[in-house]
Amino acid sequence: MNARIVGAFLSLSICVCPTTQLVVPLSKHKMAQRQEKLLKRLAEELRKEVIESPTTPSVERCQDLVQAVADAADKNMSIALLANTQIGVILGKSSRAFKRHKRTERSEEPAWTSLVNASQGMIAKWKLLAKAEEKEQKTKKQVNKQSQGLPASVQEYKERLTQHKKQLYKNPP
């Protein structure tokens, strides 16, 4: 798959309605669904081409796939998207496969090194994004808990008591 095609596919924010033939702007939800489908397809291709391949994969094909993943994932990467597509796991395994191919191949080809660096760079960037998103969600959750007066449920009341280190009656360890 050509990286330019993938980039053009994701940059489209309009679609043609099949019934009325009118150009309609896409909602963010549909854009996220398209991005998720594309990342799943790229992850599957990367898994088949690199991880499960019995022979050494083509360097050019691997570069195209990694570039397509980079273009597709640049838009809005989130924890949910990483969990649903498993792209981080597959890219990590591919990175290890790239290292293995670099080590076992006799010729010193800089393409394997660039593939390893690109994939590890994306993984590191995604880890930072996931950590920031998790921290943001945690602070939002704490702000919501602190802003309320009375607890809405027994579970929330129990969490408050344990947070303030109160002893709970009939609460076995």
Side-chain angles (χ1 to χ4, degrees), residues 4-14 31 34 71 75:
R4 285 180 278 163
I5 294 171
V6 173
F9 175 73
L10 280 177
S11 65
L12 290 177
S13 60
I14 58 171
M31 291 285 286
R34 277 190 176 185
D71 291 344
K75 303 294 180 193

Side-chain angles (χ1 to χ4, degrees), residues 13-127:
S13 60
I14 58 171
C15 71
V16 178
C17 181
T19 57
T20 62
Q21 298 299 324
L22 295 174
V23 176
V24 182
L26 286 176
S27 66
K28 287 189 178 190
H29 179 68
K30 284 197 177 202
M31 291 285 286
Q33 284 179 338
R34 277 190 176 185
Q35 184 182 18
E36 184 174 341
K37 283 182 183 179
L38 178 64
L39 283 173
K40 279 184 180 180
R41 189 176 63 221
L42 288 171
E44 185 66 24
E45 288 182 28
L46 197 59
R47 184 182 56 80
K48 285 180 182 176
E49 186 76 27
V50 178
I51 299 168
E52 295 178 353
S53 176
T55 61
T56 302
S58 166
V59 176
E60 293 81 19
R61 175 76 174 138
C62 292
Q63 286 175 335
D64 286 344
L65 285 172
V66 170
Q67 185 60 41
V69 168
D71 291 344
D74 259 354
K75 303 294 180 193
N76 301 326
M77 188 54 73
S78 65
I79 294 174
L81 193 59
L82 284 169
N84 291 341
T85 60
Q86 293 291 311
I87 190 70
V89 174
I90 291 174
L91 195 63
K93 289 180 180 181
S94 298
S95 174
R96 287 191 293 276
F98 296 150
K99 286 180 186 178
R100 184 178 63 246
H101 291 306
K102 175 186 165 192
R103 186 176 55 243
T104 58
E105 216 172 71
R106 296 288 181 210
S107 66
E108 284 296 319
E109 195 168 335
W112 291 117
T113 307
S114 67
L115 280 170
V116 169
N117 293 339
S119 58
Q120 286 181 342
M122 278 190 285
I123 292 170
K125 185 171 73 171
W126 293 344
K127 283 182 180 180

